[in-house]
Amino acid sequence: MNGYAGHILRVNLTKRTHTISPLPEDLARDYLGGRGFVAKLMWDEIPQGADPLGPDNKIIAAPGPLTGVFLPGSGKLEFGAKSPASGGYGDSNIGGHISPEIKYAGFDALIIEGVATEPVMLVIEDHNIEIRPASEYWGKGALESEAMLKNDLGEDFQIATIGPAGENLVYFACISHDFGRQAGRTGVGAVMGSKKLKAIAVKGTKSVPLADTKATIEVGKKMFEACFEKPGFEEWTPQGTAGVTDWVNEVGAFPTRNFKSGYFPKHQFINGEQIVTQIKVTDKACYSCPIPCGKYSHAKTPKYDVHVEGPEYETIALIGGNTEIDNIKDCAYANYICDELGLDSISAGNVIGFAMECYEKGVIKGEDIDGRTLNFGSVDDFVWLANDIAYRKGVGNVLAEGVKTASEKFGEDTARFAIQVKGVEWSGYEARYAPAMMLSYITCDVGAHHNRSWAITYDVASGRDVMEGKAQRTIELQHIRPLFDMLCLCRLQWVELGFELDWYPQIFKAVTGREFSFEELLGFSERIWNLTRCYSLREIEGFGRSFDYPPARFMEEPITDGPTEGKFMPRESIDYLLDDYYKLRGWDNNGIPSQAQLSKMKLEFAEPVIAPLRK
Amino acid sequence: MRLVSDSSKCSGCKVCQTLCALVHFDENNPKKGALKIEGKFPVPGVYEVTVCNQCGECAAVCPVDAITLHGTTWILDRDTCIGCMACVTACPIGVMMVHPDEEAPIKCDDCGDCVRYCPREAILDADGEVKRMGR
Ligand code: SF4
Ligand code: SF4
């Protein structure tokens, strides 16, 4: 099959065996790749009711049909596993170079099952597969162990690792790769840790089969040329995602002080300009990317001397604004600490902001934390708590399971300011005055993550008081963006440069030989959106509408200052948005897909599971 | 046409290697590209680009004269090559590349596509005849 490497690798860590089987044609035909493979394989393979951190959960890692091919941004990989954070569908995307390498080694998906008794690593060299002992790397940082493995195996291996947070089953532990790329969300790193799998190392030498080589070269070249011509090619790249920091503050959507405010008065000290002038060493790209968003940096003060990729926008928002760390070097240092510990910097900033507010309110007391402090603005406080979370010490042990679980344990109305949905912490956009962005967060299939639909610009352009049309736009974006995750391409060329979406069907045809309009490709994405909903419905008791609400802070407390001061989104508005959204999606009032919708999506196989859940 | 590199601009994207292999082998396989990109991470955190400078040391050691001069470019005739790999050892900058599926080494022929498509202009033509697309 053109575009595909042609094989699936299944590794069983309990039995220490592996099998290589041909990629099923119908899987490729109906689910395309990446996120499509992840969702379908999770549905088929992970037994219902599996403990996310037990032997029955599986890690799926899947590149897509365009991964590793000559076109802009073809270096993404989709990881998936039942999420310890939500208990439902979980996936997370990573850039760098490991995804193409998996394809060059000959695989369209890795399925990792069982648990090892001792720390191990998976070493893939084309079709030579080994499960090797990894005790000497266990306990080491995510970056440190990658450096050790590069040294021991060879520079030409692409390596994914977990840090202590993953080993200690922190619910927001990430998988790290390429010294600064992370599959951050939904706790995929903890699932790796639960399997005692410290690392995946890959080296491949094979070619990706192409339907039409000449056309691939031609269209690929034209795509790069089109990127070169966009104004953003020169203007956006130097600062990368951090360039949006000032604008998000201008529109009052910057998470500040555990989402009390949408404006951080000191944002100009942590913006993209500060990265360029103070810490940047190199612009660092994922495979085949013309607009390297990675800002590899060196932050040095008398207190620390660290190299780190970033901080990118999300880290600036959640570590900078949300815990009020007000200078770029300290943000970079806190980012480095998270990366080395293997903590998702989004959730870490959110969780630590929550803990700082608990401390401020006296819910966490000095005596609970050995007389240390937990003050907003203190990088030292950030760092000690990040460490205690990763090693599950003291209050860190409670916070290691995320703000939802922590707020249930702390009580005292802390759930009101535990800023999460479905157990996954909210990322970098305050949405109390941005209805489409709000809806994007609350309906995102993996919890409060922005990457399925980034609608804040649409809210600003179309009117932030307007409720009509927001569900429609959110749904469109929820199909477009995850399509990139199915093809395993980066979406930033489209988002940031305005690169035309029409290019993708053209290159898809050249590579795979299959001809679709962009609209038709979106149909595949809609199917997956319905399937991931079904997955969470199957796994989480009582799942449905009640899981699609923001925390009370967003529905009841006005934003404290800045351009959006006084704004909040009352429950009735949320209800309006959800009603509209469910109707357009063909879901019932409780957010459950109708039988007609499931058959329209060719998901009849889910009907027996879903039918009893409908009222 | 004289290839030179400016490593400080490289972002490690490997567009150059992928395209090189595509146009010379009709294969999407950056491991068959005739140039070298190395990341130096975590410290100092830079990339190093090495491109063929047509010094001809490879031709000097080839026992069957498979590498011959055309204008200013040394070109490897893959049919004449006997795969002894003497040139690989002789190349002073390590850009006679080897690939497990190829009997002959892989050598740059100055086609210039890496210059045209390196997004970062990290590979340049010192003579200024070839430029990045759009320049
Ligand atoms: S824009 Fe950033 S994330 Fe996307 S491919 Fe380029 S370097 Fe990777
Ligand atoms: S195309 Fe340019 S920036 Fe990319 S790896 Fe090659 S030399 Fe570096």
Side-chain angles (χ1 to χ4, degrees):
Chain A
M1 267 171 290
N2 289 311
Y4 296 91
H7 299 92
I8 289 184
L9 171 64
R10 181 184 299 273
V11 174
N12 187 308
L13 296 174
T14 307
K15 300 184 194 144
R16 286 192 166 238
T17 54
H18 74 269
T19 52
I20 293 172
S21 53
L23 172 70
E25 262 182 57
D26 53 347
L27 184 68
R29 188 189 61 218
D30 299 339
Y31 296 88
L32 299 186
R35 171 174 147 92
F37 285 4
V38 162
K40 183 60 162 56
L41 292 170
M42 280 176 65
W43 178 274
D44 288 345
E45 296 236 350
I46 303 174
Q48 185 171 356
D51 173 359
L53 298 175
D56 288 342
N57 200 2
K58 300 188 186 190
I59 299 168
I60 321 281
L66 301 186
T67 304
V69 177
F70 176 68
L71 73 144
S74 62
K76 295 283 184 169
L77 178 70
E78 194 80 348
F79 276 105
K82 186 175 178 182
S83 166
S86 71
Y89 177 78
D91 70 24
S92 196
N93 199 264
I94 192 167
H97 297 262
I98 195 166
S99 192
E101 205 69 31
I102 291 173
K103 280 228 1 227
Y104 304 148
F107 301 107
D108 301 298
L110 315 179
I111 303 172
I112 302 170
E113 50 193 37
V115 283
T117 46
E118 300 287 325
V120 293
M121 60 183 175
L122 174 61
V123 182
I124 300 170
E125 226 181 316
D126 288 332
H127 279 198
N128 300 316
I129 314 299
E130 265 188 81
I131 301 166
R132 292 194 201 161
S135 296
E136 56 185 302
Y137 311 102
W138 197 257
K140 299 281 195 278
L143 304 168
E144 187 188 0
S145 46
E146 183 175 0
M148 288 169 75
L149 283 160
K150 284 256 182 192
N151 194 46
D152 297 348
L153 299 173
E155 269 297 324
D156 45 357
F157 273 86
Q158 296 299 337
I159 293 162
T161 61
I162 56 167
E167 296 173 9
N168 297 322
L169 313 182
V170 174
Y171 286 14
F172 46 97
C174 60
I175 300 174
S176 309
H177 158 61
D178 200 25
F179 301 102
R181 295 278 161 184
Q182 287 87 16
R185 314 248 50 208
T186 74
V188 285
V191 180
M192 245 175 101
S194 73
K195 300 194 173 305
K196 290 229 157 37
L197 180 62
K198 180 68 180 178
I200 303 170
V202 194
K203 184 170 136 183
T205 61
K206 304 296 169 202
S207 307
V208 179
L210 303 173
D212 185 340
T213 308
K214 207 165 139 261
T216 304
I217 298 174
E218 238 168 67
V219 179
K221 280 184 169 178
K222 281 196 201 136
M223 289 175 85
F224 277 103
E225 288 166 39
C227 279
F228 298 162
E229 275 159 26
K230 299 282 177 198
F233 175 71
E234 306 278 359
E235 289 159 15
W236 179 83
T237 310
Q239 299 185 11
T241 61
V244 80
T245 308
D246 290 350
W247 180 82
V248 183
N249 276 280
E250 260 165 49
V251 301
F254 192 67
T256 303
R257 215 176 171 84
N258 196 33
F259 290 86
K260 267 192 172 162
S261 173
Y263 180 77
F264 186 41
K266 296 184 183 161
H267 66 86
Q268 70 273 25
F269 300 118
I270 56 171
N271 64 12
E273 210 178 302
Q274 299 298 332
I275 292 182
V276 174
T277 55
Q278 291 203 52
I279 57 174
K280 183 165 89 171
V281 179
T282 300
D283 292 311
K284 184 162 171 282
C286 303
Y287 172 80
S288 206
C289 176
I291 49 165
C293 73
K295 305 298 143 205
Y296 200 75
S297 299
H298 182 201
K300 191 173 172 202
T301 69
K303 232 170 31 189
Y304 50 77
D305 181 352
V306 296
H307 282 78
V308 63
E309 181 174 331
E312 41 71 64
Y313 170 74
E314 289 296 324
T315 306
I316 287 175
L318 275 304
I319 291 181
N322 207 47
T323 73
E324 297 198 319
I325 292 178
D326 63 2
N327 71 82
I328 198 68
K329 286 190 181 171
D330 282 355
C331 284
Y333 174 51
N335 187 359
Y336 164 82
I337 294 293
C338 291
D339 287 4
E340 187 68 317
L341 293 169
L343 291 169
D344 168 30
S345 58
I346 295 177
S347 281
N350 182 313
V351 168
I352 293 174
F354 167 80
M356 286 170 169
E357 185 166 348
C358 287
Y359 178 73
E360 196 174 66
K361 291 196 154 77
V363 178
I364 297 176
K365 300 182 183 59
E367 70 238 38
D368 302 330
I369 51 176
D370 300 331
R372 291 174 294 191
T373 54
L374 255 183
N375 293 318
F376 281 105
S378 164
V379 74
D380 293 336
D381 291 355
F382 184 101
V383 167
W384 80 251
L385 185 54
N387 270 289
D388 278 18
I389 289 171
Y391 291 98
R392 282 184 170 266
K393 283 194 216 144
V395 78
N397 189 30
V398 181
L399 294 163
E401 293 178 9
V403 291
K404 180 165 182 275
T405 310
S407 68
E408 284 157 13
K409 292 196 176 143
F410 291 155
E412 299 190 49
D413 207 22
T414 52
R416 142 183 308 280
F417 58 86
I419 311 300
Q420 54 80 32
V421 181
K422 302 176 180 68
V424 171
E425 287 76 21
W426 203 283
S427 64
Y429 302 90
E430 153 61 56
R432 267 174 282 188
Y433 192 39
M437 194 70 237
M438 175 67 85
L439 189 60
S440 302
Y441 272 115
I442 60 184
T443 59
C444 172
D445 56 358
V446 295
H449 193 31
H450 59 281
N451 91 326
R452 301 294 138 92
S453 161
W454 188 69
I456 181 91
T457 47
Y458 174 73
D459 279 318
V460 170
S462 63
R464 297 172 78 169
D465 292 308
V466 178
M467 292 286 161
E468 298 75 34
K470 298 294 159 100
Q472 180 64 47
R473 182 60 182 157
T474 300
I475 289 170
E476 280 163 22
L477 288 170
Q478 285 176 340
H479 296 163
I480 298 175
R481 295 181 141 241
L483 176 62
F484 282 92
D485 300 336
M486 297 176 74
L487 304 174
C488 281
L489 303 180
C490 180
R491 65 181 74 80
L492 291 186
Q493 292 72 22
W494 163 61
V495 176
E496 305 295 353
L497 303 189
F499 189 63
E500 294 77 10
L501 292 171
D502 314 343
W503 287 109
Y504 296 101
Q506 294 179 49
I507 194 76
F508 188 81
K509 182 179 172 217
V511 174
T512 66
R514 299 175 76 193
E515 195 163 356
F516 294 110
S517 66
F518 193 74
E519 282 303 311
E520 285 166 334
L521 288 173
L522 290 182
F524 288 91
S525 188
E526 182 177 9
R527 170 188 293 157
I528 303 308
W529 196 268
N530 282 271
L531 180 55
T532 60
R533 185 76 176 182
C534 290
Y535 186 85
S536 291
L537 282 161
R538 186 181 85 177
E539 298 302 321
I540 302 172
E541 214 190 310
F543 190 77
R545 185 179 187 115
S546 67
F547 285 70
D548 293 341
Y549 284 82
R553 165 157 291 168
F554 286 0
M555 296 190 284
E556 293 165 15
E557 294 176 22
I559 292 175
T560 54
D561 54 353
T564 46
E565 184 179 338
K567 300 293 181 189
F568 63 101
M569 196 166 292
R571 201 178 177 94
E572 308 84 78
S573 302
I574 303 284
D575 279 328
Y576 172 89
L577 290 168
L578 284 178
D579 288 343
D580 200 15
Y581 177 89
Y582 294 154
K583 206 168 95 211
L584 289 168
R585 278 225 170 272
W587 297 358
D588 70 13
N589 207 31
N590 190 26
I592 300 178
S594 67
Q595 181 171 10
Q597 175 67 7
L598 288 184
S599 68
K600 192 172 146 206
M601 293 293 112
K602 302 201 189 81
L603 295 172
E604 288 90 351
F605 61 81
E607 178 58 19
V609 177
I610 302 306
L613 303 174
R614 293 192 199 103
K615 296 242 162 65
Chain B
M1 169 80 180
R2 274 181 302 133
L3 284 185
V4 288
S5 60
D6 176 356
S7 289
S8 71
K9 292 209 177 121
C10 176
S11 66
C13 70
K14 302 180 185 166
V15 166
C16 49
Q17 293 176 326
T18 310
L19 183 57
C20 179
L22 257 177
V23 296
H24 293 99
F25 289 90
D26 277 346
E27 281 182 55
N28 193 100
N29 186 343
K31 306 295 169 84
K32 294 190 179 181
L35 70 170
K36 208 164 59 177
I37 306 296
E38 294 166 293
K40 309 281 176 190
F41 291 89
V43 178
V46 293
Y47 294 96
E48 223 171 82
V49 187
T50 315
V51 288
C52 175
N53 58 14
Q54 307 297 345
C55 73
E57 302 265 339
C58 47
V61 300
C62 178
V64 293
D65 291 334
I67 306 170
T68 51
L69 192 63
H70 300 249
T72 55
T73 306
W74 291 96
I75 297 201
L76 167 68
D77 178 358
R78 305 182 67 78
D79 293 330
T80 310
C81 172
I82 51 167
C84 73
M85 305 289 166
C87 57
V88 175
T89 327
C91 176
I93 53 173
V95 288
M96 282 300 278
M97 311 306 280
V98 282
H99 187 281
D101 297 343
E102 294 293 331
E103 281 167 20
I106 298 165
K107 185 184 179 311
C108 169
D109 66 358
D110 272 349
C111 79
D113 259 0
C114 54
V115 177
R116 287 181 200 98
Y117 289 93
C118 167
R120 308 280 301 166
E121 296 175 273
I123 307 173
L124 304 153
D125 170 15
D127 295 332
E129 290 156 16
V130 181
K131 290 197 165 59
R132 203 201 66 212
M133 297 306 286
R135 284 284 185 214

